[in-house]
Amino acid sequence: RERDPGSVIRTETFGGYSETVDLAPMSSYRGVGGAEACDWSGRFNRLTHSIKTIDSNVPFQKRIEINEDLMRLASDFLLSAELYGRTIISEVFLPDDQKTIRPANDAGGVAGGEKYIVRDIYFKFGLDCKGLYCGDENAAKAAGHELKGTMAYHNCFLKNFHVPLMAVLDYRGFRLTAMSRLPLRKGSLIYGSEDAGRTVHNDSPPFEDLMRRAAKKLNLAEHVVAHQPIVAAFDVEGHEVAGQYYLLDLARTFPPELPLKEDRTTWPRNAFLYRLLRPELVRRSPVPLSSDASTIQQKTDPNNKALNRDVRTMKYLLRTQVIPAFAKKLVNDIARVIEGAERERANSLALQSLSKFRSASSIFRNSQGGEGGDPGASANSIFLSNFPIKQYLHAEGINLRHIGELVAAVRAQVPAETPGCPQTIALLHIEMFARTLRQLINAAFRDHMRRLAVPLEEPYRMLLVHYLNKVFGSSALADQFWHVDIKMELVKKYTKSGFPPEVLHENFDLRRLMSHEYPGGRTTGHRLLFARLKKLIGFSFDSITERATALRETFFSQAAPFDDIDLRTIGARVKHMGIVNHARGYIYKMRSSQYKEFEPSKAMIMLSKALQNFEEVLESDPTNFVTLRNCGQVRQQLECIKAEQRNPNYKYLNPAIPSVSVAGEYYKRAVEASPKDTHSLYQYAQFLVKCKQDDMGEPLFIRSLEADPCHIAALVDFGLLLERKGYCVLAQYVLECVPEEKLPDIYRIA
């Protein structure tokens, strides 16, 4: 196709194949400038409305155009949020008259300190300025919960139901929330409370209906606050402006985790603000759960005790059933990946990690290997650092703060000599250490900024390098850290840490818990911890240092392995709604169809890029049914191309092939996440028929058509399936429901 003369061009390399990608023709930006360019919410609402109106019959090119526009909007928003956010954080302790961006004193809110508004983006700090959260770390968690709640309501896909574009920025120990300003005005509040629950609104029956539909999808219970029945936390605000509905303040979307009897002596104050249940666990509850469980505001509800009991029951099930069962599953999956055994039964997450492991190992083997490196140890380190432990836990509904309980469950449930058990325990310990170190380093950054109060760079570089040498060096300072200093923070952060009593004694070196054997040798675990900490904080060193940390175990035997002159950047980490990655993945997926027939190798590259983007979305949102469905489609299309290359006359896929079974696993998870989504049901049915499993596909076709009787592709494929099975009369009846111009050629009436 002809390239737009004003295109933004990018050259990408994937698997040794380079291509020039035109993802952003400038002509699409015509008409978007000046004030409209910063109308983030208006543009986002229009595009999400277009996305929500897409059905199975929308033309191919129209789908691509909508996703391209959404991708560019979200990319521009994230770029602006990071640019301004870094400036706000760097100058947080300057006097207001010296700041580049000055606080908006009339922005409202009581938590988090000063608020800022720049180019229609609203910024607020995740700080515990009022003592509500028992520390800045918990206030930062609450900011993360707001992003999670925003994503949850956005993924309900309800028309005329809008949330702001949102991102969370972590930089120099501070967390800053950035969201697009909504067009609210005085008197627009129609749902929830803006005065801590003293007055609760439920003034619009149409909006209440939308909230109930969303609550049903999220499995949230109705409860009463201030004599008003609501199905969300009382401080969630719903507004109506010009016939459109807006939702904000979503930090407490999901129910709090309530303490069991054995927890009450150590349970922190106001934990309902920041210790919430995972959405995946809430969906698994047999009954809806209240977001306001255990709060003073819900005490007026006649069913208060029952509502609290239901939420506490999920905590009990998490501890007594979910975590113990998952402990065994995790050990088995890690053992399968390490040994390469029974790969056909490994689930999609384990195989995803295995593919990364293979790729990284081949890169290592092809690199210059003689610099004191240990190929086996390096490959093992790369594998474990890529193992998606966070996604694994979240997909099961387990919060990362329960890693200590998971370690204890592994020790109790799995014999130590079981294959995969030592590696699992080491991996979980490394995750605990990395998150504790991030907390300590972030606190040090904040204290340093308070003392300096000026936006400098070098002091923070020196601070980070000093801390890294204290953690990874071989010195008396490092010994003191691992024998004494970190243990206090670990016990505080992971109250049920699973550590045997002797481990907490000052004579025990915690570094021993990272060390483990692997097929072909033993590793100290330093490289895995460094790789994980680097990802959590967002720093990078020059290429020589990066290579040394990846390939040489002896690098960490130095007293001070790191030098501030080698530190390249201390970057900002940005968490977002996944819109950019999903839209980019969708574009790659759709464009791959243009090359399947004539350039199958290029189609496979584009599908691989699509899968990469979709899987990045799942890292933060593992139950996003749209993304799961797309992952299944991409995997299926990749296998179809491979099958056609092996045999041009192929008809069916072999479900015994591991990568084919992975596609089925994605479809299955999509249907479980949204049992009435017609597209997921249809795609799963079509996949099963492609795998010659007609009897399993038939009921899914029926469920898809029950959800959308006008789903043309489902009608056609279901009709063809019925005809193949010999139900010709029924097949004719189904196909007669399809418009003549949409029928396959063999069925068209002359």
Side-chain angles (χ1 to χ4, degrees):
R1 88 188 152 85
E2 292 186 5
R3 191 174 301 283
D4 189 306
S7 297
V8 174
I9 309 300
R10 186 173 75 223
T11 300
E12 297 188 352
T13 302
F14 193 92
Y17 180 95
S18 296
E19 69 164 330
T20 300
V21 183
D22 173 19
L23 287 180
M26 293 303 295
S27 58
S28 66
Y29 282 92
R30 291 171 190 164
V32 180
E36 187 181 358
C38 294
D39 181 20
W40 307 108
S41 289
R43 293 165 61 195
F44 183 51
N45 294 344
R46 289 191 291 272
L47 288 170
T48 52
H49 176 76
S50 298
I51 291 282
K52 291 170 186 176
T53 56
I54 288 179
D55 58 22
S56 56
N57 309 313
V58 172
F60 169 91
Q61 189 58 35
K62 183 66 174 176
R63 299 187 195 190
I64 290 184
E65 289 174 0
I66 293 172
N67 277 275
E68 282 179 339
D69 290 343
L70 188 59
M71 179 187 70
R72 293 174 190 131
L73 168 65
S75 296
D76 289 344
F77 176 80
L78 292 176
L79 178 65
S80 299
E82 182 175 354
L83 175 66
Y84 300 126
R86 288 172 68 129
T87 301
I88 290 170
I89 291 173
S90 298
E91 299 179 345
V92 62
F93 293 113
L94 283 178
D96 288 352
D97 60 351
Q98 296 180 27
K99 291 180 178 179
T100 306
I101 302 172
R102 298 181 182 181
N105 297 322
D106 58 346
V110 298
E114 294 178 323
K115 315 297 190 296
Y116 298 79
I117 298 174
V118 53
R119 296 185 68 81
D120 245 18
I121 302 177
Y122 174 83
F123 293 91
K124 62 180 178 181
F125 277 98
L127 294 174
D128 189 22
C129 297
K130 303 291 183 180
L132 296 173
Y133 299 98
C134 299
D136 290 339
E137 193 73 19
N138 294 327
K141 289 180 184 177
H145 290 319
E146 186 160 11
L147 175 62
K148 193 186 308 172
T150 300
M151 291 167 61
Y153 277 104
H154 173 70
N155 291 337
C156 287
F157 295 102
L158 300 174
K159 293 182 180 179
N160 301 324
F161 191 70
H162 307 296
V163 296
L165 262 176
M166 186 175 176
V168 173
L169 180 76
D170 291 325
Y171 183 57
R172 291 187 182 175
F174 288 88
R175 173 161 285 186
L176 194 67
T177 299
M179 63 181 71
S180 59
R181 291 183 71 188
L182 298 175
L184 309 182
R185 61 172 183 261
K186 187 175 181 180
S188 63
L189 181 67
I190 58 171
Y191 199 91
S193 175
E194 57 184 353
D195 58 6
R198 288 185 291 274
T199 304
V200 176
H201 294 263
N202 190 354
D203 307 331
S204 169
F207 185 79
E208 182 185 18
D209 178 63
L210 289 173
M211 291 297 292
R212 289 185 179 277
R213 288 163 59 189
K216 187 175 181 180
K217 292 187 176 187
L218 302 177
N219 204 23
L220 301 179
E222 178 183 327
H223 55 284
V224 176
V225 175
H227 310 292
Q228 284 284 9
I230 54 176
V231 289
F234 66 83
D235 49 358
V236 168
E237 294 185 18
H239 293 256
E240 181 179 7
V241 179
Q244 299 294 307
Y245 300 116
Y246 299 91
L247 208 58
L248 70 155
D249 289 348
L250 301 170
R252 294 199 309 111
T253 293
F254 294 102
E257 182 179 306
L258 300 186
L260 303 178
K261 287 183 179 179
E262 60 267 29
D263 301 323
R264 288 176 182 171
T265 56
T266 59
W267 205 253
R269 183 172 56 88
N270 289 340
F272 73 95
L273 294 173
Y274 51 87
R275 283 195 176 183
L276 308 184
L277 297 176
R278 287 287 311 173
E280 297 82 9
L281 186 68
V282 174
R283 288 193 185 98
R284 292 171 64 174
S285 171
V287 296
L289 303 178
S290 170
S291 300
D292 285 326
S294 82
T295 62
I296 295 174
Q297 288 79 2
Q298 188 186 267
K299 283 188 175 181
T300 58
D301 190 312
N303 298 318
N304 179 51
K305 289 185 178 180
L307 291 167
N308 291 344
R309 184 184 63 242
D310 291 340
V311 175
R312 188 170 278 108
T313 298
M314 289 310 297
K315 165 70 173 181
Y316 176 77
L317 294 176
L318 176 69
R319 177 169 293 173
T320 60
Q321 295 183 20
V322 176
I323 290 178
F326 177 70
K328 296 178 181 179
K329 177 179 182 295
L330 181 62
V331 172
N332 289 336
D333 286 346
I334 288 180
R336 288 171 184 172
V337 175
I338 291 177
E339 298 169 5
E342 299 182 323
R343 291 175 186 166
E344 69 276 9
R345 294 209 303 247
N347 66 29
S348 59
L349 297 177
L351 284 170
Q352 172 194 341
S353 180
L354 178 61
S355 66
K356 292 180 179 179
F357 169 59
R358 286 173 170 165
S359 174
S361 299
S362 64
I363 292 171
F364 172 80
R365 287 193 297 270
N366 294 331
S367 65
Q368 301 173 2
E371 304 173 8
D374 176 356
S378 297
N380 184 66
S381 297
I382 292 168
F383 153 66
L384 283 180
S385 66
N386 278 316
F387 194 87
I389 186 66
K390 176 182 174 182
Q391 187 182 347
Y392 244 74
L393 267 69
H394 284 176
E396 294 291 326
I398 302 173
N399 302 83
L400 288 165
R401 62 176 171 271
H402 296 306
I403 294 180
E405 292 185 54
L406 183 57
V407 172
V410 171
R411 293 185 187 277
Q413 305 257 351
V414 184
E417 64 276 7
T418 303
C421 184
Q423 293 86 351
T424 301
I425 292 176
L427 179 63
L428 293 172
H429 280 139
I430 287 168
E431 188 70 21
M432 292 169 68
F433 296 161
R435 291 182 173 275
T436 303
L437 287 168
R438 179 183 63 174
Q439 180 175 326
L440 292 170
I441 292 172
N442 282 343
F445 274 144
R446 290 193 297 271
D447 290 342
H448 219 54
M449 288 189 69
R450 286 187 181 97
R451 288 198 302 269
L452 294 177
V454 290
L456 302 175
E457 179 72 20
E458 197 60 28
Y460 308 104
R461 294 168 57 88
M462 295 174 65
L463 174 65
L464 177 61
V465 169
H466 169 75
Y467 225 103
L468 292 177
N469 284 328
K470 182 167 72 170
V471 172
F472 294 100
S474 181
S475 63
L477 189 65
D479 292 342
Q480 167 70 18
F481 181 80
W482 286 105
H483 282 81
V484 179
D485 297 348
I486 193 175
K487 291 180 182 178
M488 298 171 59
E489 295 299 327
L490 276 171
V491 172
K492 189 187 304 180
K493 188 173 180 67
Y494 302 101
T495 51
K496 295 186 177 296
S497 59
F499 293 131
E502 63 272 15
V503 170
L504 300 178
H505 194 276
E506 65 179 18
N507 291 330
F508 188 90
D509 188 343
L510 283 181
R511 288 171 289 195
R512 290 165 53 187
L513 298 178
M514 299 190 294
S515 176
H516 61 278
E517 294 183 357
Y518 59 91
R522 188 173 186 84
T523 178
T524 63
H526 282 83
R527 287 173 296 181
L528 281 73
L529 179 61
F530 179 76
R532 191 71 186 108
L533 186 62
K534 186 173 67 171
K535 187 173 182 180
L536 287 173
I537 295 179
F539 61 83
S540 65
F541 282 84
D542 61 35
S543 58
I544 296 175
T545 305
E546 294 277 3
R547 181 178 175 79
T549 59
L551 302 183
R552 288 166 42 200
E553 192 87 52
T554 55
F555 177 83
F556 298 99
S557 62
Q558 305 173 69
F562 299 101
D563 193 311
D564 65 284
I565 198 171
D566 300 325
L567 181 63
R568 182 176 295 170
T569 59
I570 304 175
R573 293 182 70 245
V574 181
K575 296 181 181 180
H576 51 84
M577 298 168 67
I579 293 170
V580 175
N581 292 107
H582 183 88
R584 185 180 288 125
Y586 187 85
I587 293 167
Y588 278 130
K589 183 193 78 169
M590 298 297 285
R591 287 187 175 173
S592 68
S593 62
Q594 300 174 353
Y595 303 101
K596 282 182 184 176
E597 186 175 354
F598 303 106
E599 295 184 75
S601 60
K602 187 169 183 178
M604 291 182 70
I605 289 169
M606 299 194 83
L607 288 169
S608 298
K609 290 179 178 179
L611 187 62
Q612 196 174 55
N613 278 278
F614 287 138
E615 287 178 339
E616 285 186 30
V617 176
L618 294 179
E619 286 184 9
S620 58
D621 192 7
T623 55
N624 186 321
F625 70 93
V626 178
T627 305
L628 287 167
R629 180 179 74 228
N630 277 282
C631 281
Q633 288 178 289
V634 170
R635 288 273 189 183
Q636 179 181 344
Q637 291 172 24
L638 281 166
E639 291 308 310
C640 287
I641 293 175
K642 293 176 186 177
E644 189 170 4
Q645 289 176 335
R646 292 191 297 265
N647 176 16
N649 298 319
Y650 94 101
K651 290 185 178 180
Y652 299 104
L653 294 174
N654 181 3
I657 297 174
S659 48
V660 175
S661 67
V662 169
E665 180 69 19
Y666 276 125
Y667 283 131
K668 182 181 177 182
R669 288 170 59 194
V671 170
E672 288 174 349
S674 184
K676 294 186 178 181
D677 177 57
T678 182
H679 304 294
S680 299
L681 292 164
Y682 163 68
Q683 292 293 342
Y684 193 15
Q686 181 262 350
F687 167 78
L688 292 170
V689 169
K690 193 71 175 176
C691 293
K692 215 171 182 178
Q693 296 176 330
D694 294 0
D695 290 341
M696 295 174 64
E698 184 175 341
L700 290 170
F701 275 126
I702 294 173
R703 287 172 59 188
S704 173
L705 291 169
E706 286 174 346
D708 180 9
C710 299
H711 195 313
I712 292 174
L715 286 166
V716 171
D717 285 352
F718 185 42
L720 296 176
L721 172 64
L722 292 172
E723 185 181 62
R724 285 197 304 273
K725 296 182 72 172
Y727 302 113
C728 297
V729 175
L730 187 56
Q732 183 179 0
Y733 172 79
V734 171
L735 291 169
E736 284 176 354
C737 298
V738 183
E740 183 180 335
E741 65 274 10
K742 300 290 184 180
L743 279 172
D745 290 340
I746 59 172
Y747 285 100
R748 287 190 183 163
I749 301 173

